[in-house]
Amino acid sequence: MNGPVLILGAASGMARAVARSFAQAGHPIQLAARNVARLEDDAADLRTRYGTEVTLYEFDALALDSHAAFVAALPALPEVAICAVGAMGTQKGSEADPLAASHVMRSNFEGPASVLAHLANAMETRGSGTLVGISSVAGDRGRASNYVYGSAKAGFTAFLSGLRNRLAKKGVHVVTVLPGFVKTAMTEGMDTPAPLTAEPEEVGAAILKAVTRKTNVIYTRPIWRIVMAVIRNIPEPLFKKTSI
Amino acid sequence: MTELSGWGRFPRVDCRVVTARNEADVRAAVLEAPLIARGNGRAYGDAALNAGQTLDMTGMDRMLSFDEGVLVAEAGVLLSDIIHTFLPRGWFPMVTPGTKLVSLGGAIAADVHGKNHHIDGSFRSCVDWIDLMGPDEVVTRVSTGDDMFDWTNGGMGLTGVILRAQIRLRRVETSWIVQESRALTSLADTIAAFEDTMDVPYSVAWIDCADGPHHGHSILLLGRHAVPQDLPMRKPEFKVRHKPKIPVPFGVPAFVFKGFMLRMLNSAYWRLGKFRAGEALVDWDTYFYPLDGLLNWNRLYGKRGFVQFQCALPKDTASEGMEEIMRTIAASGEGSVLSVLKRFGPQSGHFSFPMAGYTLAMDFPANERSLALMEQLDAITLAHKGRFYLAKDARMPEAVAKADSRAEAFAAMRAKAGLKKRFTSVQSERLGL
């Protein structure tokens, strides 16, 4: 199978690596983001490296009422659709300004869920396809240091798991990706521990593998599965005294 | 803040690192504070360190176009990326240093040289143009014939941030190298052999510096790109795959790099080379990048790291100068496990390292004895009208660097063009460039 792969939120460092992994595997690539002019160099790169076909689409995750038209306008319904849309904001900013918090929540949950819902319906009708949602380990438990972002990712993770449950009988597979720290613009300036920090290329390779093998949930660095299992299981009375 | 060092792991500096993923990121950084651009961190010393702002260019690694060997790519692309993409299509870098893990921008900034310098010159000979962001955030395309093109090739990133460049690759018919290796027993013999083989595309010698010039055992490796007729039946013409890397988990005890053990190591290497002397078909990776297979081989020297010494001597003083260098090293008992000797062709560019003559590269563990030894080697080099390779340097004093009159001219040009305030590295401050 070498059908087209759609990447939503294609301007991020992680999306660039994901696009390269799939282009190298021989898939035509559809890149979608706000202000497509920013994607020209990435498109040139994919064509130069892999000789693959690349097309660009204007897409705004927050403009929910444009999503149906966006999906309908794609020249081909993708074989794989990968949602890399997200915004971290800052926890301080989200605490001080509920509007800023709302933007983080909408960017990480509402927008991604909306566009994937449209793609899911189209794939369900066709009876095949794979949806990939890039969520976050931050959604595994709310923590004082980033619970606004974390809660939106928790919502997205639950959405993906429900979608997987619904579409499993319809020939459509859903992959939930839980990257820990990844060296991208989002984590720049953060002091992240090296063993827990993945290169974007690792995430790209991990997603390609998960799609090929129809894995359900992947932590891009396996150690995160253990780290988050521990964090999830700290009893609440104890947890509220910690600052993780 | 991130603790950074060059490949030699000496010195280490706490740096504020900013990553560039596109031109807008570079512009913001240039306006923000003085900086030095950094590629993949393969320069040995402090050439790509700036405590206030080190601009990591590895996020700008896109290849923008390719047509019949002419490649336009961003500065952060690694040579290994270029090879893995284009060698299967029959193209190889015109000039490559001994590691494929350098960035395009770094190769230009250091104007790296390869085993074919005596025929093809340094990296600049395959560069058509460079997009350079200056101190005023204006991007200028400099090309052959422009003064700033000459300063930028070999300018150690001190003329601006290299954003992207157009380079030419070489057509090859296979990914294999026909290698001829010769075992020689003195410096004089080795130099004579280099002079006899000036028409061979690639040449380099591993030489034993621990015993003095008259016992300067060396293995001379000559090479040329194989053509299909050179290959035995059923050998694929192009074999390009990612080899797994062997990690080097910890340092080797210091005594290994001293005295008796050191002489034994070098002698064993030579005997092995003598045993294997003759013609062989070698794959591109093994021939050009023998050390890249070891991940983090720079850890061999342990926590304190190591320092490279690489000088070039003009042809007429080279044999005398190299002899004196080797005598001095032998007398000190310090030494380098494997030293590399190479013939250079003519100089090009305003501030590049190579000059017609010979270059010798050695690494020493970073400690006070070797630093003192290197000061002696500095003096010998200067007495023979030689010069030093900035991509390898981590410790030269300003006076030594300024003995090369081109350094004064470079610094003056930088001051006049307003580059001195925007583009600085720990090295440029140390050397007063």
Side-chain angles (χ1 to χ4, degrees), chain B residues 81-94:
Chain B
D81 259 10
I82 296 177
I83 295 169
H84 279 107
T85 305
F86 298 111
L87 183 53
R89 302 183 210 173
W91 300 95
F92 194 74
M94 202 87 88

Side-chain angles (χ1 to χ4, degrees), chain B residues 134-360:
Chain B
D136 44 8
E137 56 150 338
V138 173
V139 178
T140 313
R141 179 159 295 182
V142 296
S143 47
T144 332
D146 297 342
D147 210 29
M148 198 46 95
F149 181 81
D150 276 318
W151 284 121
T152 300
N153 282 284
M156 302 308 290
L158 297 167
T159 62
V161 180
I162 297 168
L163 297 175
R164 56 189 83 79
Q166 176 170 305
I167 63 167
R168 276 166 288 114
L169 305 184
R170 166 196 309 279
R171 199 67 164 128
V172 293
E173 292 180 60
T174 76
S175 64
W176 303 87
I177 296 289
V178 178
Q179 172 186 288
E180 187 204 331
S181 99
R182 299 183 191 174
L184 303 160
T185 49
S186 72
L187 177 67
D189 284 357
T190 310
I191 287 182
F194 268 116
E195 294 299 321
D196 280 351
T197 53
M198 283 294 281
D199 57 332
V200 179
Y202 298 103
S203 61
V204 68
W206 298 92
I207 190 159
D208 178 358
C209 281
D211 269 353
H214 304 296
H215 307 278
H217 290 79
S218 78
I219 303 290
L220 176 67
L221 295 174
L222 303 168
R224 64 171 171 85
H225 289 281
V227 293
Q229 298 86 288
D230 293 318
L231 305 184
M233 292 274 283
R234 303 203 306 156
K235 202 157 201 148
E237 283 170 11
F238 290 98
K239 195 167 144 196
V240 184
R241 63 192 166 90
H242 288 275
K243 280 192 194 166
K245 289 184 179 175
I246 304 161
V248 176
F250 47 75
V252 170
F255 71 86
V256 173
F257 299 118
K258 287 201 62 171
F260 175 72
M261 278 297 285
L262 181 71
R263 287 201 298 277
M264 288 297 289
L265 262 177
N266 274 327
S267 156
Y269 181 82
W270 185 79
R271 273 167 214 292
L272 185 70
K274 186 169 186 240
F275 176 71
R276 287 186 181 160
E279 211 172 87
L281 198 61
V282 188
D283 74 78
W284 63 278
D285 210 2
T286 311
Y287 183 79
F288 289 104
Y289 314 109
L291 286 173
D292 282 350
L294 291 175
L295 190 71
N296 296 331
W297 66 263
N298 55 346
R299 287 199 195 168
L300 281 175
Y301 286 90
K303 268 213 155 69
R304 296 185 66 181
F306 66 102
V307 187
Q308 272 255 341
F309 180 88
Q310 182 164 2
C311 65
L313 295 181
K315 190 164 177 284
D316 52 338
T317 62
S319 34
E320 195 194 306
M322 295 294 174
E323 274 196 23
E324 200 175 331
I325 287 175
M326 288 173 70
R327 265 201 306 275
T328 309
I329 293 172
S332 77
E334 299 294 318
S336 145
V337 179
L338 289 167
S339 310
V340 178
L341 184 68
K342 159 90 200 95
R343 175 78 157 93
F344 271 160
Q347 157 174 345
S348 57
H350 288 346
F351 196 42
S352 294
F353 167 64
M355 58 158 73
Y358 282 85
T359 180
L360 182 64

Side-chain angles (χ1 to χ4, degrees), chain B residues 77-141:
Chain B
V77 160
L78 303 190
L79 222 48
S80 57
D81 259 10
I82 296 177
I83 295 169
H84 279 107
T85 305
F86 298 111
L87 183 53
R89 302 183 210 173
W91 300 95
F92 194 74
M94 202 87 88
V95 170
T96 171
T99 170
K100 59 184 179 293
L101 300 173
V102 292
S103 67
L104 175 59
I108 292 170
D111 194 18
V112 296
H113 53 269
K115 299 177 171 76
N116 55 342
H117 188 274
H118 59 289
I119 288 184
D120 296 309
S122 54
F123 198 78
R124 63 166 279 142
S125 62
C126 72
V127 181
D128 290 334
W129 53 256
I130 300 163
D131 276 352
L132 192 65
M133 188 179 287
D136 44 8
E137 56 150 338
V138 173
V139 178
T140 313
R141 179 159 295 182

Side-chain angles (χ1 to χ4, degrees), chain B residues 62-80:
Chain B
R62 291 172 288 202
M63 305 200 201
L64 302 172
S65 70
F66 182 79
D67 181 33
E68 277 300 299
V70 180
L71 171 71
V72 177
E74 290 183 322
V77 160
L78 303 190
L79 222 48
S80 57

